Amino acid sequence: MTRRVAVALTAAALGLTAACTAGGDSSGEGPKSDEKQTIEVWHGWSAAHEVKAFQDAVAGFNKVHPNITVKLVSGQTDERITNAIRGGNPPDVVSSFTTDSVGQWCKSGAWQNLAPYIAKSKVDLNIFPQAVRKYTEYQGVRCAMPLLADAYGLYYNKDLMKGEQPPKTMSELTALAKKLTVRDPDGTIKVAGFIPSAQYYEHQVQHLAPPFGVTWLTADGKANFASDPAFQAYLKWNKELLDWYGYDNVKKFLRSLGQEFEAANPFQKGQVAMAIDGEWRTKFIEKEAPKLNYGTAPSPVADDKQSTYGGGFIAGTVIGIPRGAKHAQAAWEFVRYLTTETGALVTLSNGLGNVPSTVPALASPDLKLPPQFQTFLSAFKHPASTTTPPTPNGNDYIVRFQKFVQDEWEPGKVGDLGAALTKLDREVNDALKLAGG
């Protein structure tokens, strides 16, 4: 699976007991990087075109470091990575789609502090945009490097839109969603203009709340759900459009849909007119629905946040060296090559359909991406683009908010919203306290 079911993770699944000080490293251990050796690299990509793209990038590394054989293991999850580190038998390099977990990995020392490697190699971190640098470190400890990035925007089916322009505000999105929806006489949804439910693929809270201008955490790192009115604005928009469809109708529609990362994806099949999704969808459309007549645009924003239009939610794949890696120095050479060499990033970007994560790679003339991809390149560089801040227990606060929305808010089980959000804040803060936050 390409991306990013971060909210399916729990803090418990990522919990690690540090066997060394937080951010500790073992950069002096193992064979020297110029010795003949084999390193094992775990990554999460699994689709055929994704696996090939990674292999192509590794071929470039092998030309520079012929003494280092790279054993690639695809389709790996954070849980498997965590279990391997816990068991004392990790691979040499690990890659994850879950930027939310960086805080936990850095704090526990599960992923090594890369500062000694970076200093020795004289890597200039200014080649990475500021937002990228932020989500690869925690409290001054950089335990991850960015490996491509994700930006989110609006996909729209031009044939279903029938000449309508993509909406720029949430009120425009709501009106157009209603106009484009097609139902059977009993209310069953045949074609959805836009599904607001957090249970629809990439419409999870992490991606649809930011256009309302939410601030996830307070300045001192505490939950901010009850204090920030933007959360209530998001929730009220979500519920009003959901109620227009009918909650039971939406649930029935969701059960009828194909899988997100298969050719039966409902946007690719013309069952959904508009959807928020990541840039990688362009590559899946190219492979699985090449005749689809579609466009992309920035995510619509709240009506009172129109100055932020053009930005979007951004995150990315991260890569690092786990505690206990047996070939740490060779592992760093691999990490450095994939994350800083323009040629490697362009190869990966072209093959995976992801946003390059360095400034030079973003400007490379060798990028071969469809016109619809420009939306995501622009969003990635936009000053209004945001990401979710790291915490010592990973994405626990996102998991809890997602669960609240899909299990309580959307089914209509919440009476007093303010009180419910205050309770959520308390639960998040209690969990943060247990994690040392």
Side-chain angles (χ1 to χ4, degrees):
M1 184 173 62
T2 307
R3 285 285 177 274
R4 171 171 315 276
V5 194
V7 294
L9 297 168
T10 66
L14 293 171
L16 291 162
T17 301
C20 59
T21 58
D25 75 271
S26 54
S27 55
E29 298 177 6
K32 301 296 183 182
S33 61
D34 58 357
E35 295 181 26
K36 188 176 180 62
Q37 59 198 292
T38 298
I39 63 173
E40 187 165 315
V41 177
W42 287 10
H43 66 84
W45 287 288
S46 58
H49 71 272
E50 298 173 329
V51 172
K52 182 181 184 304
F54 211 88
Q55 291 171 339
D56 290 344
V58 170
F61 173 79
N62 289 147
K63 291 180 181 179
V64 181
H65 298 278
N67 61 297
I68 302 175
T69 300
V70 181
K71 178 183 177 182
L72 294 175
V73 183
S74 64
Q76 296 304 297
T77 65
D78 287 353
E79 186 174 3
R80 291 175 186 168
I81 291 170
T82 295
N83 289 337
I85 297 172
R86 280 175 173 165
N89 190 33
D92 299 293
V93 177
V94 289
S95 175
S96 170
F97 300 145
T98 314
T99 56
D100 304 299
S101 301
V102 168
Q104 193 274 342
W105 286 323
C106 289
K107 183 177 177 66
S108 70
W111 286 29
Q112 293 183 31
N113 185 353
L114 299 180
Y117 302 101
I118 292 169
K120 185 176 180 179
S121 299
K122 298 180 180 180
V123 172
D124 181 8
L125 295 177
N126 289 318
I127 65 174
F128 303 106
Q130 184 177 7
V132 173
R133 297 199 299 271
K134 285 184 177 179
Y135 67 62
T136 47
E137 66 176 356
Y138 181 67
Q139 294 183 341
V141 175
R142 174 170 299 285
C143 68
M145 293 286 278
L147 180 61
L148 302 181
D150 294 321
Y152 287 77
L154 182 75
Y155 284 73
Y156 57 95
N157 184 313
K158 291 185 176 181
D159 292 336
L160 295 177
M161 293 280 278
K162 298 178 180 178
E164 296 281 356
Q165 295 302 302
K168 294 183 178 181
T169 66
M170 286 296 174
S171 62
E172 291 176 356
L173 174 63
T174 298
L176 192 54
K178 293 177 180 179
K179 184 176 182 179
L180 300 179
T181 294
V182 179
R183 302 178 189 250
D184 285 332
D186 65 355
T188 299
I189 303 168
K190 293 180 64 177
V191 176
F194 183 91
I195 292 293
S197 174
Q199 300 172 66
Y200 176 80
Y201 305 134
E202 299 297 330
H203 289 187
Q204 56 195 249
V205 297
Q206 197 171 14
H207 305 150
L208 281 188
F212 288 84
V214 300
T215 301
W216 294 100
L217 303 176
T218 61
D220 59 350
K222 299 296 189 294
N224 200 36
F225 297 114
S227 300
D228 185 354
F231 284 106
Q232 290 206 23
Y234 156 65
L235 290 169
K236 290 176 181 177
W237 166 83
N238 159 281
K239 196 68 167 68
E240 287 172 4
L241 184 52
L242 193 64
D243 287 348
W244 179 83
Y245 278 109
Y247 180 74
D248 290 342
N249 289 330
V250 170
K251 290 288 287 184
K252 180 180 179 181
F253 183 69
L254 292 176
R255 287 194 295 267
S256 73
L257 300 179
Q259 295 298 309
E260 180 178 3
F261 295 107
E262 294 181 358
N265 177 283
F267 180 77
Q268 295 174 192
K269 296 290 288 184
Q271 294 172 282
V272 172
M274 299 178 290
I276 298 295
D277 211 336
E279 80 293 332
W280 65 85
R281 180 59 51 195
T282 60
K283 180 61 67 173
F284 278 83
I285 291 173
E286 176 187 315
K287 299 291 184 181
E288 298 171 348
K291 295 182 180 180
L292 183 67
N293 183 21
Y294 78 102
T296 63
S299 299
V301 297
D303 289 49
D304 62 349
K305 302 291 182 183
Q306 293 186 46
S307 63
T308 66
Y309 182 75
F313 178 79
I314 61 173
T317 300
V318 293
I319 189 169
I321 304 171
R323 183 177 63 227
K326 297 179 179 62
H327 306 85
Q329 296 184 67
W332 166 248
E333 290 303 320
F334 182 81
V335 169
R336 184 204 60 76
Y337 177 84
L338 279 196
T339 60
T340 65
E341 292 292 332
T342 297
L345 288 167
V346 168
T347 296
L348 286 170
S349 183
N350 286 340
L352 297 169
N354 293 145
V355 177
S357 42
T358 68
V359 174
L362 283 167
S364 173
D366 296 325
L367 285 174
K368 308 297 182 186
L369 299 164
Q372 295 93 336
F373 204 90
Q374 185 58 48
T375 292
F376 307 100
L377 293 176
S378 298
F380 183 65
K381 296 180 286 186
H382 198 284
S385 289
T386 63
T387 190
T388 45
T391 72
N393 60 353
N395 64 344
D396 176 76
Y397 66 103
I398 299 291
V399 171
R400 291 176 186 272
F401 186 48
Q402 173 77 16
K403 182 174 175 57
F404 165 76
V405 172
Q406 68 181 36
D407 293 351
E408 300 180 45
W409 176 250
E410 291 188 354
K413 298 178 181 179
V414 178
D416 186 333
L417 178 56
L421 293 178
T422 298
K423 179 175 179 288
L424 179 63
D425 280 346
R426 185 167 58 252
E427 293 170 349
V428 169
N429 291 335
D430 286 347
L432 281 168
K433 187 176 181 179
L434 286 173

